[in-house]
Structures are given as C-alpha cells and as structure tokens.
Amino acid sequence: MMSLIPISTLLLSLLFIFLHQSAVATSSLSANSDQLSAYDILQSYNFPAGLLPKGITQYDIDRETGQFHAYLDGTCSFSLEGSYQLKYKSKISGYISENKLTSLTGVSVKVLFLWLNIVEVTRNGDDIDFSVGIASASFAIDNFYECPQCGCGLDCVSGQVSKPRVKSLVSSI
C-alpha cells in the first residue's frame, strides 16, 4: 500500500519546480525588456533611428558579422514625396557596420513607376546615401531623425506628405 507522505512530497516537489520555473521565466522577460531597441542599434552604428519605420516588433543581430534582421507585424508603406514611395516587408535583413548598411533586403522605393530594392545605405557626414544598385540618391541626415509611421510617413496629423530635401541623384549608367 502506498504511503501519503511520498505522494505529498512529490506534489510539493512539483509545485516547487513549477514556481521556480515561473520565477526564472519572469526574470528572463524582465532582462529582455532592458534590451536595446532596433532603433538604438542603428544609432550605435552612427545611423539615425528614422531609417526604420515605427513598429519594429523584434530584431536580432550578430555583433561579430553585423548580420541583422528586423521584423514588423506586416508590410509597411508610405510616401515621403510625390515620386518617392517606400515599402518595407515584414522582414528586413542585411549587414550593418559603422556608417554602412549592405546586402539589404526587404526595403524598396518606387521611382516613377518602378519598384527598386534599396541594397545599400551609407552615411557620409551629414548625408545619407541610398543605393538601388544602378543609381543612388543622397539626402540630408535631418530627414531621418524621426521614424516614419506606416501609412502616413512623417505627417500623420494633417495627412500632408512630407518632402525630404534631396542632396543629389547619381546614376552609374
């Protein structure tokens, strides 16, 4: 016949393990909430936070290689100027180093009637250069201090489309 003492000891042990695991999970969540945001990571590589739209839900980065992934809940698009529409896929990937984003995927710009993938972003002093491979455009960095919002870009109150100051457009054709 089974004794009640071993069963109660077993139940207490299980309860202790459950409570201990819950406490560990809670402390892990607290530690993760202190983690830097994707916007903080951009700034640590000398880029303005506004290169990414509001709403990045998570990211991962390999600090040794610079490979990163940033995630949105869905695709995101907005206009910054009549001829510039930007579209971000739900996953944005590439490599980041000081003043340089390379091998970008998940970001495209509509120029006239064509969607072109932005493959590289470089910071040169107070300018940000965007390359689509065959051409590039340079913008003043202060256009990117504020993060755009999906749907309405930088002017979500009045619905007006914000016009960034273009420094130059260069083609390698």
Side-chain angles (χ1 to χ4, degrees):
M1 185 156 114
M2 227 193 239
S3 166
L4 290 179
I5 296 174
I7 293 175
S8 63
T9 304
L10 176 64
L11 289 175
L12 284 173
S13 297
L14 289 174
L15 180 62
F16 173 75
I17 291 170
F18 174 75
L19 290 175
H20 178 62
Q21 286 178 338
S22 295
V24 168
T26 303
S27 68
S28 295
L29 289 174
S30 299
N32 287 339
S33 67
D34 293 336
Q35 182 178 355
L36 294 174
S37 71
Y39 310 101
D40 295 329
I41 295 294
L42 268 178
Q43 291 173 328
S44 74
Y45 286 95
N46 206 27
F47 283 106
L51 288 181
L52 289 173
K54 291 179 183 177
I56 297 295
T57 57
Q58 70 181 72
Y59 74 92
D60 56 76
I61 184 167
D62 180 333
R63 290 285 193 158
E64 288 182 23
T65 65
Q67 184 175 26
F68 73 91
H69 304 93
Y71 302 91
L72 292 160
D73 278 334
T75 59
C76 172
S77 60
F78 52 88
S79 293
L80 290 178
E81 187 177 323
S83 62
Y84 287 108
Q85 278 187 301
L86 288 170
K87 185 175 4 178
Y88 292 78
K89 292 184 177 179
S90 59
K91 180 181 177 184
I92 304 153
S93 300
Y95 290 85
I96 191 169
S97 60
E98 188 77 14
N99 298 317
K100 196 165 206 159
L101 291 160
T102 59
S103 302
L104 282 175
T105 62
V107 184
S108 55
V109 61
K110 187 175 185 181
V111 180
L112 301 174
F113 57 90
L114 294 173
W115 282 100
L116 304 171
N117 293 323
I118 296 174
V119 295
E120 187 172 293
V121 179
T122 308
R123 178 172 179 178
N124 290 315
D126 288 337
D127 295 332
I128 301 287
D129 301 327
F130 294 87
S131 173
V132 294
I134 60 170
S136 64
S138 183
F139 297 86
I141 194 168
D142 59 359
N143 287 302
F144 303 97
Y145 290 144
E146 183 181 345
C147 294
Q149 187 170 321
C150 298
C152 55
L154 295 173
D155 193 357
C156 297
V157 176
S158 68
Q160 295 288 321
V161 175
S162 165
K163 290 185 113 185
R165 288 180 304 289
V166 179
K167 297 288 237 170
S168 64
L169 180 62
V170 178
S171 175
S172 60
I173 295 178

